[in-house]
Amino acid sequence: MTDDDHGFATEQVHGGFVPDAGHGARVPAIHMSSGFLFEDAAQARDRFAGTDDGYTYTRLGNPTNADVERRVALLERGTEAILVSSGQAAANVAFLGLLAAGDHVVSANSIYEGTRGLLVQNLGRLGIEVDFVTDARDLDEWARLVRPETKAFFAETIPNPKNDVLDIAGVADTAHRAGVPLVVDNTLATPYLVRPVEHGADVVVHSASKFLSGHGSGLGGVVVDGGSFDWAAVPERFPHLTRPEPSLGGASYAERFGSRAFIVFARDVIASRIGPTPSPFNAFLLRQGIETLSLRVERHTANALTVATWLEAQPEVTSVDHAGLASSPYHDLAQRYLPRGAGSVFAFTLAGGTAAAYAFIDAVQLFSRMTHLGDVRSLILHPATTTHAGRTPEERAEQGIDDGLIRLSVGIEDVADLLRDLERGFAALRAGDTDRAEQESAVVPQPHAIVEEV
């Protein structure tokens, strides 16, 4: 595809496709091979030297995976993408492609708990520090937290579970005034709802296991480079990209690759050596999912808004966190950045605390009780005792994770059936079915048993 005027649905089906010259297959093959043959010793030499574009070893590149990389980069309006084995791997590759010991990150406070743990515990052990912005809308707070050692800003377009939309352009402008890139996790929005690069973001990451794949059948992650950040503007800020490299004949990554310096370093030095390689079969499943992305997300978001509107009218509900509602403090940002809808992962809070939440969750039949997001099936979870169980009560309160808060990932079922199922939850509350739930909710797991999930 060379025409830039194609619509999103056309691009998700055709974008990045390279015809199979050998057999003419319309759907790219699943190249389940660890390595690839060389025609002769000279070709092997050239491929290792980077002067031949062929493949050598699947950890370094695979035709099936490359097809997905081209398509996601196109849909996100980035210049290049790296497909990895999970969303957590994507965040790790992105951060390690930017950061070194002694560096500092400014992050939104409302982010996935796994990413928070990666920043605080894993990268913290490597001498990398992070400060969290309490209110992501406060651009002055983002600026106040910048230090000389700051190398990146990080946030999510639609955080989980509160659906508190990011002011992408505002945060990007603040990051750029500090001379650092903005890394954005676009998992819950997908490029169908918003393309962060178009609003100033520099690097975009995805847990492709969620909406991009869509069917809960395989893991994957993607790192996308927006291609516009000047990595050499302040050479001492990113020395790994601007110092001479013997492997590049004495040139730096910035000199050799220009605006591609980060993504080439992230692929060749970080991803290839850490090895978060996705299975080509999972890449195939992801590609199949992407072909229907817009159709699914359109239905997801329409269903979610209907459910959120209905929940807001229920007397047992004290609040609904969905930016598509006029009552949301993020409604203006949703209208600005998300005209196609504010996504389908959001939360609502019951007045009865944990016991009420447990009774409600136990009563539903169509919603799946499981930890996942972006599935075609609707999912339900209690964050305070699952995803956020490792946080103190004070920390949960700061993030608005009330004991009565329930997270929904609304699927593509008939919305009338979803409402009937949720009514079962309210019927259980109205019948007073909270005694058993109260007993179960009083069982607190030991810290070592708490598992961080999505």
Side-chain angles (χ1 to χ4, degrees):
M1 290 177 59
T2 57
D3 186 350
D4 294 334
D5 295 329
H6 290 108
F8 189 95
T10 302
E11 289 181 341
Q12 73 186 8
V13 173
H14 295 279
F17 175 70
V18 176
D20 179 358
H23 304 91
R26 185 59 187 84
V27 177
I30 304 174
H31 293 269
M32 293 296 293
S33 179
S34 300
F36 301 86
L37 293 170
F38 308 121
E39 292 181 2
D40 50 37
Q43 187 181 64
R45 175 201 63 204
D46 292 344
R47 287 189 181 176
F48 272 79
T51 57
D52 183 300
D53 292 334
Y55 297 93
T56 61
Y57 190 62
T58 283
R59 177 166 54 82
L60 308 176
N62 179 287
T64 310
N65 299 358
D67 178 84
V68 174
E69 292 173 341
R70 290 190 297 270
R71 188 154 305 187
V72 175
L74 174 66
L75 293 177
E76 281 288 8
R77 291 300 184 262
T79 57
E80 193 169 339
I82 305 171
L83 182 65
V84 292
S85 56
S86 69
Q88 194 75 343
N92 201 17
V93 168
F95 287 136
L96 292 179
L98 294 170
L99 307 171
D103 287 345
H104 173 249
V105 178
V106 180
S107 172
N109 189 42
S110 183
I111 60 173
Y112 165 50
E113 286 297 290
T115 309
R116 179 186 299 275
L118 173 63
L119 287 166
V120 173
Q121 293 179 299
N122 301 85
L123 297 184
R125 290 181 60 230
L126 302 180
I128 296 167
E129 297 184 349
V130 59
D131 279 313
F132 293 100
V133 177
T134 303
D135 178 7
R137 295 197 65 155
D138 186 349
L139 300 181
D140 290 335
E141 186 178 0
W142 285 92
R144 281 194 301 270
L145 292 176
V146 171
R147 310 177 191 170
E149 302 81 25
T150 302
K151 299 296 175 64
F153 280 18
F154 176 76
E156 299 177 4
T157 47
I158 303 178
N160 153 39
K162 298 287 285 183
N163 204 254
D164 36 336
V165 180
L166 179 70
D167 180 0
I168 307 169
V171 177
D173 288 345
T174 307
H176 295 159
R177 283 196 297 272
V180 301
L182 170 61
V183 181
V184 171
D185 185 328
N186 199 32
T187 296
L188 298 193
T190 81
Y192 179 67
L193 296 182
V194 65
R195 290 163 163 155
V197 169
E198 294 182 336
H199 300 284
D202 303 289
V203 177
V204 176
V205 297
H206 280 274
S207 172
S209 321
K210 310 303 189 298
F211 290 98
L212 291 182
S213 179
H215 298 83
S217 56
L219 300 183
V222 188
V223 181
V224 182
D225 187 358
S228 61
F229 192 83
D230 185 355
W231 304 102
V234 183
E236 62 272 18
R237 181 163 287 136
F238 300 101
H240 60 294
L241 301 180
T242 58
R243 66 185 171 222
E245 286 290 340
S247 62
L248 300 179
S252 69
Y253 278 87
E255 289 170 337
R256 175 68 64 84
F257 301 107
S259 62
R260 296 180 60 233
F262 160 76
I263 198 72
V264 173
F265 182 88
R267 182 190 298 278
D268 293 352
V269 179
I270 305 301
S272 69
R273 292 180 183 166
I274 293 176
T277 310
S279 162
F281 183 73
N282 277 10
F284 173 80
L285 293 176
L286 172 56
R287 183 188 185 280
Q288 294 291 91
I290 289 173
E291 290 183 349
T292 60
L293 177 64
S294 63
L295 304 179
R296 289 183 288 101
V297 173
E298 185 176 33
R299 179 63 171 259
H300 279 293
T301 55
N303 278 358
L305 183 57
T306 299
V307 170
T309 302
W310 181 82
L311 286 170
E312 200 171 39
Q314 307 309 309
E316 296 86 355
V317 174
T318 61
S319 64
V320 180
D321 300 305
H322 190 291
L325 299 174
S327 58
S328 169
Y330 299 92
H331 187 61
D332 61 322
L333 291 177
Q335 289 180 308
R336 177 181 174 186
Y337 292 108
L338 303 165
R340 287 173 166 167
S344 60
V345 177
F346 69 98
F348 67 98
T349 302
L350 297 172
T354 302
Y358 272 37
F360 189 101
I361 291 170
D362 289 348
V364 298
Q365 299 174 10
L366 190 58
F367 277 77
S368 298
R369 291 175 284 272
M370 61 180 290
T371 175
H372 190 52
L373 301 168
D375 199 305
V376 291
R377 292 157 280 270
S378 292
L379 317 175
I380 190 168
L381 199 69
H382 183 240
T385 55
T386 57
T387 58
H388 293 68
R391 308 295 298 279
T392 67
E394 293 75 20
E395 288 171 334
R396 288 197 295 270
E398 182 183 7
Q399 281 196 273
I401 309 296
D402 188 271
D403 288 343
L405 183 138
I406 294 174
R407 184 186 78 184
L408 300 181
S409 176
V410 178
I412 64 171
E413 302 95 337
D414 288 318
V415 71
D417 294 328
L418 296 178
L419 297 181
R420 271 196 297 272
D421 196 44
L422 294 172
E423 179 57 41
R424 293 186 179 97
F426 287 113
L429 298 183
R430 293 160 189 160
D433 296 346
T434 59
D435 291 342
R436 180 176 63 87
E438 188 168 6
Q439 292 175 358
E440 292 178 350
S441 67
V443 178
V444 180
Q446 295 301 309
H448 71 271
I450 294 174
V451 178
E452 192 174 73
E453 292 287 356
V454 294

